[in-house]
Amino acid sequence: MDRIEFKKEGYDPQIDYIKGLCILFVVWTHCMNRGELSIILFPYWGDTAVPIFIIIQVFHYYKKGVSVRMPSIPKLWKRILQPYIKMIALMFIAQFFMYYDMTDGTFSPTLYWEKRGPGSYYIFIYIEMAFVIPLFAPLYRKFSTKWLLVIFLILSQLVEIVCSLTHCPDNIYRITFFRYIFLIFIGYLLATKGLKLNKLTITAGIFSMLFIYFFAYSMCDMEPVFCTSLVLWPLCHWICYLYIAYFFLPFLKYTYTKLIICNRFMSCINTIGKYSYEIYLFQIFYYATISIYIGKALSIIENHPLQRILYIVISTNICILPTIYLSMRRKLLKSR
């Protein structure tokens, strides 16, 4: 395999397979704390989920050609924003009853706004990308791949330096697409030329792995070259995306080719991928509300390794199974 490519026409089950694994990574990210995630080398596989989703988003936009096509507002509203707003409203209603003190009419000072749901920032990134991706189309038509690489490296590095020098607040850094700008170039390559695996890209992937270690484990101060003061985002640097594009994405495609004989397993992962957005929304609601009661119920075996295992298994099943069942049922009713 010397080139990474996806089908540009028709349905490609590999994409759903990769999306299915990535949404599982998202669910597991919010099951554990950073210390536990570091032990199982999560930065090298689990933290790749959002960058891969963005690469796939760019791929879908450019797979039919390089043109300036702004997103359909009605489609964006119906498919993305409306379900998100409904979920947020449901979450706040649930939290109102969870944290409202009926005796004196006040909110508990501990949570409510703080528990807005893990991963909720991604919706802003997705919408921003939907409008930003088309703006780069003129560049793709005008410049060669080598010059595009230079342009995107300069833009990405400028983002790092500006965020470092301005001490960018976490809340701003969280909801802006700037740190993912290099992924627009990677997604474009994947859609138009494929990602070439050669000595140069493999060497770049190795260096990328080393930088991931520095960012995630050594806590080195690399400012102002890289914005490393925001420790919650260890992989949000352009150099880390080279490992994702040229090592981890090929690895996921390789597992697909090897596991395709396991029909039941592949079918499960593909189904999870098809409903990855619905699962993403429900896991926000779950971790902001229901997970608190699961944690309390499991406190009877506190400090026992089984507690963490059960919490992960229960959380995964609650986030995945009801969402898929309700989504499939809704689709079935609409088709009648």
Side-chain angles (χ1 to χ4, degrees), residues 164 210-211 214-215 218-229:
S164 296
L210 293 175
F211 273 93
F214 292 137
F215 293 137
S218 69
M219 307 298 289
C220 293
D221 183 2
M222 296 188 184
E223 297 195 348
V225 179
F226 290 104
C227 184
T228 54
S229 60

Side-chain angles (χ1 to χ4, degrees), residues 90-290:
L90 180 63
M91 184 179 73
F92 281 163
I93 291 170
Q95 289 181 331
F96 179 88
F97 290 102
M98 289 172 64
Y99 305 127
Y100 187 72
D101 192 332
M102 300 295 290
T103 57
D104 59 8
T106 61
F107 286 108
S108 168
T110 54
L111 295 167
Y112 201 64
W113 284 106
E114 294 178 13
K115 282 289 185 181
R116 57 188 176 276
S120 55
Y121 71 92
Y122 175 72
I123 188 71
F124 298 98
I125 304 295
Y126 183 93
I127 294 172
E128 288 168 33
M129 281 289 185
F131 288 95
V132 169
I133 290 169
L135 301 181
F136 286 94
L139 284 180
Y140 299 139
R141 292 197 295 266
K142 185 175 181 179
F143 294 99
S144 66
T145 302
K146 290 182 180 179
W147 275 110
L148 286 171
L149 173 61
V150 172
I151 291 170
F152 275 93
L153 284 177
I154 291 173
L155 287 174
S156 301
Q157 191 56 52
L158 281 175
V159 169
E160 296 282 353
I161 294 171
V162 170
C163 288
S164 296
L165 294 178
T166 59
H167 304 290
C168 183
D170 178 82
N171 285 338
I172 300 299
Y173 195 78
R174 179 193 301 263
I175 64 171
T176 53
F177 74 94
F178 300 123
R179 65 188 188 275
Y180 295 120
I181 199 167
F182 194 68
L183 294 173
I184 299 176
F185 175 63
I186 292 175
Y188 158 76
L189 286 181
L190 180 62
T192 57
K193 305 176 187 300
L195 300 176
K196 292 182 181 179
L197 298 180
N198 51 37
K199 290 181 180 180
L200 180 61
T201 55
I202 290 173
T203 302
I206 292 171
F207 274 102
S208 183
M209 289 182 70
L210 293 175
F211 273 93
I212 290 173
Y213 173 81
F214 292 137
F215 293 137
Y217 292 98
S218 69
M219 307 298 289
C220 293
D221 183 2
M222 296 188 184
E223 297 195 348
V225 179
F226 290 104
C227 184
T228 54
S229 60
L230 298 168
V231 295
L232 292 177
W233 314 100
L235 260 66
C236 291
H237 310 287
W238 65 264
I239 198 166
C240 298
Y241 305 144
L242 296 173
Y243 158 77
I244 295 172
Y246 293 103
F247 275 34
F248 195 67
L249 197 56
F251 171 74
L252 292 182
K253 282 178 64 67
Y254 176 79
T255 61
Y256 176 85
T257 60
K258 294 300 178 182
L259 294 174
I260 198 167
I261 58 174
C262 305
N263 292 332
R264 183 168 295 182
F265 174 79
M266 293 297 295
S267 177
C268 290
I269 300 298
N270 282 13
T271 302
I272 292 172
K274 287 178 182 177
Y275 299 102
S276 58
Y277 184 67
E278 289 80 2
I279 293 168
Y280 155 73
L281 291 180
F282 186 72
Q283 66 89 38
I284 294 176
F285 175 82
Y286 168 77
Y287 285 114
T289 55
I290 303 171

